[in-house]
Amino acid sequence: MTGLLPAPRPPLEGAIGSVAGGLDFVAIDVETANARRGSICSIGAAVVRDGVVVSTHSWLTRPPAGLDHFDGINISLHGITPGMVADQPSFADRLDQLLELSGGLPLVAHNAAFDIAALREACVAVDREWPTTDYACSLIMARRALDLISYRLPMVAAECGVDLAAHHEAGSDALACAHVVLEIARRRGADNLGALLAGLQVLTGRLEAAAWAGCRGTSTYAGPQLPDVAADADPEHPLYGQVMVFTGALSIRRQDAWEAVARCGAVVEKGVNKRTTMLVVGDGFTGHDPADFWTGKAAKAVLWRERGHRIEVLTEGDLVDLLAETRTSGVRDAVLA
């Protein structure tokens, strides 16, 4: 998907830098071969200059050695097979291409915690320093700017009037992410990425050679703090302070899921009510339409939303991604340990 749009301006010299300029950024997406985040098999990018997408890119890549097996569930999502990447450039080569393309611009991804963690783990796997970059997350922006029942990319794109041509094709997802950010900026009247993030009370993430700090909201959940919140939970974790209800079967024991979210500072309740902020739908649910949420608890969530209460619906995959972010900052030594 390269070359469909006018060529970008020459990249700036130096490391990827500040978000203080105009609406200039590079939206990215990565797809992985298996459950390991560093098993990157595809990278997509959409370059935005002065609020306009000027080029799009979609690259296949060989995952780092040791992380290069392909799981069937991943293949079913993105359609990429071992044979398709066998003769493709290595991750290290593709990372060089991305950094050359992105020189001087911040990165943005939908659920940047996943994509940036994938880059970190893949760099460790190929014994390479992490690149230096500021980054932001369109999922966090959407949670602040929009009132939706789910903030997965297809639903956010639909709300923003953005065409998502092929979900889980890296170039398509990156392009949709770029347009989502541009639409949120338009609605908020922001003419640069820094002003947009400040207005949404979102802190820029930062990745450096030996440390990282995640993109996150500047204020934590201010709802009722019920007694089951873990005392040592990270208050910056996206699940901290959430009141969560589960419905349907999960691939892990329900008790294990309850304990996992409690360690992140969430409160688990058995029924949906006006305190509920998140509903996790199991049974392999992957739909996009609230009408497809067929359980009684899901129906109650829709009803409470109609009454003006914000409740977000998560799939099990969404929950797994959130639980994987056990820390909101860290150093490379901790990853290597």
Side-chain angles (χ1 to χ4, degrees):
M1 200 160 67
T2 302
L4 300 181
L5 297 167
R9 301 174 188 175
L12 301 176
E13 295 294 326
I16 302 172
S18 170
V19 298
L23 273 171
D24 301 332
F25 59 90
V26 177
I28 67 166
D29 179 77
V30 304
E31 300 295 328
T32 58
N34 55 67
R36 291 289 299 274
R37 292 191 177 192
S39 64
I40 296 174
C41 60
S42 180
I43 300 173
V47 181
V48 177
R49 298 275 192 176
D50 295 330
V52 176
V53 177
V54 296
S55 70
T56 59
H57 309 263
S58 186
W59 304 315
L60 294 176
T61 182
R62 298 196 315 275
L67 303 177
D68 51 358
H69 67 280
F70 279 71
D71 289 344
I73 188 170
N74 293 68
I75 294 174
S76 69
L77 288 173
H78 50 55
I80 301 170
T81 64
M84 294 170 63
V85 302
D87 296 325
Q88 293 294 322
S90 68
F91 165 74
D93 290 337
R94 288 302 195 195
L95 180 61
D96 287 337
Q97 285 184 266
L98 177 63
L99 296 180
E100 181 179 1
L101 178 75
S102 309
L105 299 181
L107 304 181
V108 180
H110 199 78
N111 191 12
F114 176 88
D115 297 86
I116 298 301
L119 293 179
R120 295 199 315 263
E121 184 174 311
C123 284
V124 170
V126 299
D127 194 24
R128 177 167 174 162
E129 285 189 344
W130 295 339
T132 297
T133 176
D134 290 326
Y135 65 91
C137 179
S138 60
L139 184 148
I140 294 175
M141 294 184 217
R143 282 188 172 132
R144 290 301 179 96
L146 309 173
D147 181 9
L148 302 177
I149 199 165
S150 170
Y151 295 91
R152 298 166 64 205
L153 183 58
M155 296 192 74
V156 173
E159 165 63 22
C160 291
V162 172
D163 180 27
L164 178 55
H167 189 30
H168 291 301
E169 195 286 311
S172 176
D173 283 357
L175 180 60
C177 170
H179 283 300
V180 162
V181 173
L182 293 175
E183 174 59 15
I184 292 175
R186 185 192 69 79
R187 295 185 186 187
R188 304 288 294 199
D191 60 4
N192 66 77
L193 188 58
L196 176 60
L197 294 173
L200 294 172
Q201 294 187 300
V202 174
L203 294 179
T204 307
R206 178 73 173 173
L207 179 63
E208 297 179 341
W212 64 277
C215 176
R216 58 180 178 80
T218 59
S219 58
T220 56
Y221 176 72
Q225 293 296 298
L226 302 178
D228 290 334
V229 173
D232 60 348
D234 179 357
E236 296 174 0
H237 192 280
L239 291 180
Y240 185 86
Q242 301 289 349
V243 179
M244 302 182 68
V245 175
F246 290 74
T247 184
L250 303 176
S251 61
I252 62 175
R253 291 193 315 137
R254 179 70 64 86
Q255 185 66 41
D256 292 338
W258 288 350
E259 292 174 358
V261 301
R263 286 194 296 271
C264 295
V267 172
V268 178
E269 295 191 338
K270 292 185 177 180
V272 174
N273 54 59
K274 64 182 180 181
R275 293 187 301 273
T276 306
T277 61
M278 286 184 169
L279 173 68
V280 179
V281 181
D283 291 328
F285 181 81
T286 58
H288 308 318
D289 189 341
D292 295 334
F293 301 158
W294 56 269
T295 68
K297 290 178 182 177
K300 285 185 178 180
V302 174
L303 179 61
W304 278 111
R305 284 184 53 82
E306 290 174 349
R307 295 176 179 175
H309 295 278
R310 294 192 62 160
I311 298 177
E312 180 179 351
V313 172
L314 305 177
T315 67
E316 183 174 2
D318 298 330
L319 177 64
V320 169
D321 283 345
L322 288 170
L323 289 174
E325 291 305 305
T326 56
R327 295 173 295 142
T328 53
S329 63
V331 296
R332 185 179 174 92
D333 288 346
V335 174
L336 291 171

